[in-house]
Amino acid sequence: MANILLLNGPNLNLLGSREPDIYGHETLTDVEASVRTVLENARHSLRAEQSNREYELIDWVHDARDDHAAIIINPGAFTHTSIALLDAFNAYEGFVFEVHISNVHKRESFRHHSYIGLRADGIIVGCGVQGYELAARRVVTLLSQTD
Ligand code: DQA
């Protein structure tokens, strides 16, 4: 059994009502519930956090160094701007999966670059909110291989 951390960055608290043509109608509560189901069915536990503040996300990555085997993160717009968040992930040794609900590569060019992608073990893009569940399944597979 392992602890997994799910992080969502800025504006993702508005999922379900924010630009639903891009991000869909499901809420962050729905997302967290589906990830929790996947992980708990595999006897892992989930801590889920969301923040609009860069420093808070960084602090949670630091906390996870002690006792979390994997982090799944949608860093929102910090994906494209935050060297500080990349540095935090570079100091973290567990698995890292980056999720983007939309296909960022079909959107504005400033969304095409990801700092976190320089560290992530995998990136899931453009699969809607199902991407979070896919990331959780991948984490379960990897953890079963490291038992
Ligand atoms: C996003 C894509 C980012 O470019 C954007 O700033 C977001 C959401 C996504 O899930 O598609 O806030 O990470």
Side-chain angles (χ1 to χ4, degrees):
M1 180 196 143
N3 300 318
I4 318 299
L5 179 61
L6 170 65
L7 293 179
N8 276 281
N11 301 305
L12 291 160
N13 53 313
L14 300 180
L15 263 188
S17 63
R18 169 199 187 196
E19 300 182 87
D21 46 321
I22 297 176
Y23 298 113
H25 292 279
E26 286 178 79
T27 66
L28 189 57
T29 305
D30 298 331
V31 165
E32 290 173 354
S34 73
V35 170
R36 190 175 301 282
T37 299
V38 169
L39 294 176
E40 290 185 353
N41 283 344
R43 301 189 183 283
H44 299 305
S45 72
L46 177 70
R47 174 181 179 188
E49 304 284 1
Q50 185 278 331
S51 181
N52 297 321
R53 300 170 188 84
E54 189 175 11
Y55 77 88
E56 228 164 3
L57 295 164
I58 291 168
D59 284 349
W60 285 324
V61 174
H62 291 178
D63 290 349
R65 296 173 76 218
D66 297 331
D67 54 3
H68 284 72
I71 302 176
I72 298 167
I73 183 166
N74 183 343
F78 292 150
T79 306
H80 320 298
T81 62
S82 183
I83 297 169
L85 198 51
L86 169 62
D87 284 347
F89 277 109
N90 281 336
Y92 171 76
E93 291 185 349
F95 296 116
V96 177
F97 283 86
E98 178 181 339
V99 175
H100 298 288
I101 299 164
S102 64
N103 181 356
V104 286
H105 299 291
K106 274 175 90 174
R107 300 180 66 191
E108 303 97 323
S109 59
F110 62 79
R111 295 185 202 276
H112 297 178
H113 178 261
S114 167
Y115 283 103
I116 316 305
L118 295 168
R119 164 63 180 87
D121 297 295
I123 306 175
I124 297 170
V125 167
C127 295
V129 292
Q130 193 188 5
Y132 291 92
E133 196 182 312
L134 297 173
R137 289 189 190 285
R138 180 68 182 147
V139 165
V140 168
T141 299
L142 289 170
L143 291 175
S144 73
Q145 291 168 353
T146 58
D147 276 350

